[in-house]
Amino acid sequence: MKNFYILIILTALFSFFTISESKAQTGEELVDICKQMDDDVKYLKDFNIKLSSAPAGEDPPQQKNSIVLRKNTHYRFTICSSKDYAGEAVVKVYDSNKLIGSNYVVSTGEIHDSFDFKCQKTGAYHLFVEFEDGKEGLAVVMLSFVEKF
């Protein structure tokens, strides 16, 4: 019986020292991942988004940010969703009430990692972010400069 207890103690100690430490992704790590995805563009700004899941029957929670974009400028929005959460970020850019860009393609249901926007007028635009199907999520949306046209 004494050997049995020693075996349990040794097994517990062995398990304790061999368990690898798991880390959750942070917003800063997601920014670094986004920057690596788009090294051919100039980083301008990032938006950290963390939203809880939506209760059944309610609209998914959203985060809204306002940005000023300049005429004749080609921008890229790169989206990095955390692997630690079920939700995948859906980004929509509006000019007033008109949708002008998104990483979500309604016809196919696909969610892309980035999308480009060629700005035709200087002004304030609205960036809305939610997570697919109202799931909980953490993501970074990075705004980058591609080129003037």
Side-chain angles (χ1 to χ4, degrees):
M1 192 67 159
K2 185 177 179 181
N3 288 340
F4 178 72
Y5 290 120
I6 291 173
L7 181 62
I8 290 176
I9 291 170
L10 288 175
T11 303
L13 286 172
F14 179 76
S15 298
F16 178 76
F17 289 112
T18 59
I19 293 175
S20 63
E21 184 179 317
S22 64
K23 286 183 358 180
Q25 286 180 318
T26 65
E28 196 172 298
E29 289 171 327
L30 290 174
V31 170
D32 291 339
I33 291 168
C34 278
K35 284 181 179 178
Q36 290 172 5
M37 288 172 54
D38 279 332
D39 59 357
D40 60 332
V41 298
K42 183 180 178 189
Y43 165 87
L44 296 175
K45 183 176 178 117
D46 63 77
F47 304 91
N48 287 291
I49 293 85
K50 184 167 195 294
L51 297 171
S52 299
S53 57
E58 290 188 21
D59 290 336
Q62 293 183 331
Q63 182 172 320
K64 176 186 171 188
N65 293 284
S66 295
I67 52 175
V68 175
L69 302 177
R70 297 198 174 273
K71 181 179 181 176
N72 298 329
T73 305
H74 180 173
Y75 294 99
R76 179 167 298 145
F77 293 87
T78 306
I79 302 94
C80 295
S81 297
S82 174
K83 63 181 174 34
D84 298 326
Y85 293 87
E88 191 169 355
V90 174
V91 178
K92 297 175 184 175
V93 178
Y94 286 88
D95 177 10
S96 296
N97 292 330
K98 182 181 176 190
L99 178 65
I100 57 170
S102 180
N103 68 325
Y104 178 71
V105 181
V106 176
S107 61
T108 63
E110 291 180 283
I111 299 175
H112 296 279
D113 293 333
S114 66
F115 67 96
D116 287 7
F117 172 63
K118 292 186 176 181
C119 187
Q120 301 296 324
K121 71 173 190 173
T122 298
Y125 293 83
H126 305 289
L127 178 80
F128 287 89
V129 183
E130 62 187 49
F131 289 96
E132 182 184 28
D133 299 328
K135 296 175 184 168
E136 181 178 20
L138 170 68
V140 166
V141 178
M142 186 176 78
L143 174 62
S144 301
F145 169 83
V146 178
E147 65 182 349
K148 292 293 271 179
F149 61 90

